Amino acid sequence: MSTTDRVVTVDTGPRLGGNLGALHLFFSVMAYNAPLVVVIGVLPIMLGIGNGVGTPIAFLAAGLIVAAFAVPFTRMARVFPNPGAFYVYITAGLGRSIGLGSGFMALVGYLSVNIGSYGFGGVVFQSLVRDTFHGPDVDWWVWGGLLWAATTVLGYLKIDLSAKVLTVFLFLELAVIVVYDAAVMFQGGASGLSAAPFSPSHWFDGSFAVGLLYGLGMYGGFEVAALYRDEVRHPTRTVPRATFGVIAVAMVLYGGTAWLYINSLGVDKAVSIAGADPAGSILGSIETFGGRVLFDLATVMVTTSTFAVILAAHNISARYVFNLSADGILPRRLSGVHAKHGSPHAASLATSGIGLVVLAVTVLIGADVNKFFAASLGLASFTGVAAVFLANIAIALYLRKHHKDQFGIWSTVVAPVFAGVGLAFELVMTVRKFPLLLGTSTGLAMLLLAALIGVFVAGVVMALVYRRIRPEVYSKIGRQ
């Protein structure tokens, strides 16, 4: 790294405020993963087109890869005090140009989840009111607008309030999943509980690559633990606890629920049933083993779970906007910190403005909101794995160079290499399966992939330009 690129780990720019503890941070991170949406919306798909009966193993393998990355990631959070998470860490390890390109790309990914979920949330809210509660049949965009308004208000206020809302919603959806799991376990599934899904003979059923691809995607959002660094109590302890807590709970919850779901359908029939009717098979299983009350609760909690995703993605996006503006990349006025709430209120309003514009355009052109949601998640899957892959390399290089005596070979070599192999495989598979993830034609998928790569390149080029014409801005990239 050149003298110009040398990183100074002292950020003198604006800082956010908050008082989150480990539990609230855990729920804020977990909410982004939307466990109930994973169980109802993703799990049956993994069973049908992933590695079939071996789906629980895909979740466990993905969890081990993410846990390996979390080792150096949490070490970095201890020794690198600047806010900004991946954007900052990649800058520290790989330089300001790649750091800015990664920051732009990550922001696009989080905005995609936030904005794409407004339409999906509006649809499930519409269905809940109309079909479950037999209320008025109102267009989906009305409900989507209400979700946008609630997100805008909560995003403007202190992060502690959002965390409390996310905690309540996540606790309820976790309760639904746990009750379902217990019901299947105590009733013995369709014909007795079988350990076959954990047998090596089923690990590579169907496509293990696709199963692992989906599995890794369900652990997204743990970057939030470090992104909220300035808004938590005792970050050097809180961030690692929340990070590993999320990974551990997700491994047990997803792997265990996948195993029980397969047993609820019958090991021999599960793949064909899930493949024929993904959503119907899991909802039918919930009603069969949990009764109508649990089924209705699950239907309600899918809506609140989607709102939790929207709110979590909004808060993450707003903090990326805040950090980029604090560095002078985006307009400086977006880095304002609210005097009372300690929140990035200007960045939050800007994020809401982007969401409102895209939501309005979606309505005006009559876009299929379900396809738009699927495409937005596909975009986020690529940006997410690319950012984690780069962060894994950057953190390992930084720790190896500056803290190898403090952390040793496990944190600086072994864990990053193990994670790197898995992440590299996932990145290749994400590119190969991009049309499948987006649910679009190959031509359109490649066009969107090129656009994402273009966002990264634009950030790299912008940094190089700033190095020549505005070195004072260049020196601040990555909250340095």
Side-chain angles (χ1 to χ4, degrees), residues 4 83 89 113 118 156 166 172 187 265 286 298 313 323 398 418 429:
T4 309
Y89 298 164
V113 174
Y118 282 123
Y156 185 89
L166 293 175
L172 292 173
Q187 295 176 51
L265 302 179
I286 291 173
N323 284 305
Y398 182 87
F418 179 82
M429 287 305 302

Side-chain angles (χ1 to χ4, degrees), residues 450-475:
L452 289 177
I453 296 173
V455 169
F456 174 81
V457 172
V460 172
V461 172
M462 182 180 290
L464 295 175
V465 171
Y466 277 142
R467 186 169 65 177
R468 293 181 59 87
I469 66 173
R470 297 187 64 186
E472 74 282 1
V473 174
Y474 178 78
S475 67

